[in-house]
Amino acid sequence: MKSIKEIAKTTKPVKQYLKTFITRYDELFRGIRDKQITLLEIGVGGYKNPEKGGGSLLMWSEYFPNATIIGLDINEKKINMPSNVTILRGSQVDTNLLNELSIKYGGFDIVIDDGSHITHNTITTFEALQHHTRLFYIIEDLHMAKAYGTKEYFNDVEGSDFSTEHLCVISKSNQ
Ligand SMILES: C[S@@+](CC[C@H](N)C(=O)[O-])C[C@H]1O[C@@H](n2cnc3c(N)ncnc32)[C@H](O)[C@@H]1O
């Protein structure tokens, strides 16, 4: 199996702090790489360009060969993806959609929020998905929070860990 660093070199996710984030992700996820997990990443990348983005989903697809990977983006995406990846269009604050997806996929083992980075969106998404997440709920790029309060809010959430700069990792498995 290729390492996450090798995979990231070819799939090119646009994660702002790529090196620190993927090192941390590998620490968290290496024990479940071969499992049939379900991972939802909010924010496919490429913004309004339908043909751009998807680097992170490609990385997860290769890192977790037996997983079901779902990408959600507010903008339309027309990117070819491997068979274990589905890209959906929708907003991270559409709580009806989030609820429907949680039911459809039987919840998620991992949720990564790399979407709008607007504090009230980040919180709305977490509140909708937290009870449908089994292992890890992760928020990327905390430094980009476009309003005061993201870190303050998640500080009070059980299981939250800020030991990696700009990342909030909430471990759900021991809750
Ligand atoms: C930083 S990019 C994601 C990069 C990708 N995760 C990666 O690492 O390759 C952020 C994406 O979030 C999307 N986005 C912004 N607001 C959103 C919202 N309310 N709901 C869903 N996606 C949103 C943008 O269209 C953009 O494509």
Side-chain angles (χ1 to χ4, degrees):
M1 266 184 169
K2 280 200 222 164
S3 72
I4 196 165
K5 284 184 187 156
E6 286 170 313
I7 298 172
K9 262 188 209 154
T10 52
T11 55
K12 301 191 182 352
V14 292
K15 301 193 174 310
Q16 288 242 330
Y17 288 85
L18 184 61
K19 208 170 155 202
T20 38
F21 286 6
I22 66 170
T23 301
R24 177 78 164 124
Y25 283 154
D26 193 43
E27 279 167 19
L28 296 170
F29 302 156
R30 70 169 72 106
I32 53 168
R33 273 192 79 170
D34 61 342
K35 303 275 186 256
Q36 293 185 340
I37 61 145
T38 305
L39 180 152
L40 169 68
E41 180 152 358
I42 295 158
V44 171
Y47 296 87
K48 293 204 166 152
N49 186 332
E51 280 149 29
K52 291 255 161 121
S56 180
L57 298 176
L58 283 176
M59 178 176 80
W60 296 132
S61 167
E62 200 172 336
Y63 186 80
F64 292 117
N66 302 313
T68 299
I69 316 278
I70 304 116
L72 179 69
D73 203 287
I74 197 164
N75 289 301
E76 186 182 13
K77 295 285 141 198
K78 291 181 176 164
I79 314 166
N80 284 333
M81 282 283 146
S83 59
N84 65 340
V85 178
T86 304
I87 298 182
L88 301 169
R89 186 178 188 184
S91 174
Q92 70 177 105
V93 292
D94 182 345
T95 52
N96 289 332
L97 172 67
L98 298 180
N99 210 29
E100 277 168 29
L101 295 180
S102 302
I103 293 166
K104 178 172 176 185
Y105 289 99
F108 306 102
D109 295 291
I110 299 168
V111 174
I112 298 173
D113 180 353
D114 187 21
S116 70
H117 303 301
I118 296 170
T119 297
H120 56 86
N121 289 1
T122 307
I123 293 171
T124 298
T125 310
F126 175 72
E127 288 183 346
L129 292 177
Q130 62 167 327
H131 299 299
H132 300 287
T133 308
R134 289 182 284 273
L135 299 177
F136 298 105
Y137 191 102
I138 295 168
I139 300 143
E140 291 192 354
D141 298 338
L142 288 180
H143 62 296
M144 289 188 49
K146 294 191 183 86
Y148 176 81
T150 304
K151 197 164 178 186
E152 289 68 15
Y153 174 92
F154 286 99
N155 245 330
D156 290 340
V157 169
E158 194 185 344
S160 64
D161 175 332
F162 297 89
S163 58
T164 303
E165 207 179 9
H166 309 308
L167 204 65
C168 173
V169 176
I170 299 158
S171 295
K172 305 285 296 175
S173 50
N174 47 11
Q175 286 179 24

